[in-house]
Amino acid sequence: MKDRASRSTWPECGPFDAIVVTAALGEVPPSLIEQLKVGGRLVMPVGSAYTTQTLTVVEKTGPGETAKRAVGLVRFVPFTRSKD
């Protein structure tokens, strides 16, 4: 089963040095980490909708390896998809 954000990704143009997600998800989607270059960073709010979330930075440190750190508390709108 694909993760929730996988249909919003752009694998044919990656891998990327950086990815910024501007809506909250409950967890970091594996499909986004897969699209990072080694040394690349993903920044996104992680947590439940309409509550305080954690602004999270994930750095891809090697193939299949990441380092994750929380950098602050934030409140973003939830990640949603259109009905189309």
Side-chain angles (χ1 to χ4, degrees):
M1 181 170 118
K2 292 186 176 184
D3 61 65
R4 189 171 166 187
S6 64
R7 290 174 286 181
S8 299
T9 60
W10 205 3
E12 63 274 9
C13 293
F16 297 101
D17 293 313
I19 299 173
V20 177
V21 178
T22 59
L25 282 165
E27 59 186 36
V28 177
S31 61
L32 292 178
I33 293 172
E34 290 170 12
Q35 292 184 60
L36 285 174
K37 288 181 181 178
V38 172
R41 291 188 178 108
L42 165 68
V43 179
M44 67 175 287
V46 177
S48 300
Y50 308 110
T51 64
T52 302
Q53 299 116 8
T54 303
L55 188 61
T56 303
V57 177
V58 180
E59 182 174 357
K60 190 169 193 175
T61 56
E65 298 178 15
T66 60
K68 182 167 51 170
R69 71 181 192 276
V71 295
L73 298 176
V74 294
R75 289 187 72 156
F76 279 72
V77 296
F79 186 90
T80 60
R81 301 203 67 37
S82 70
K83 304 275 190 243
D84 299 339

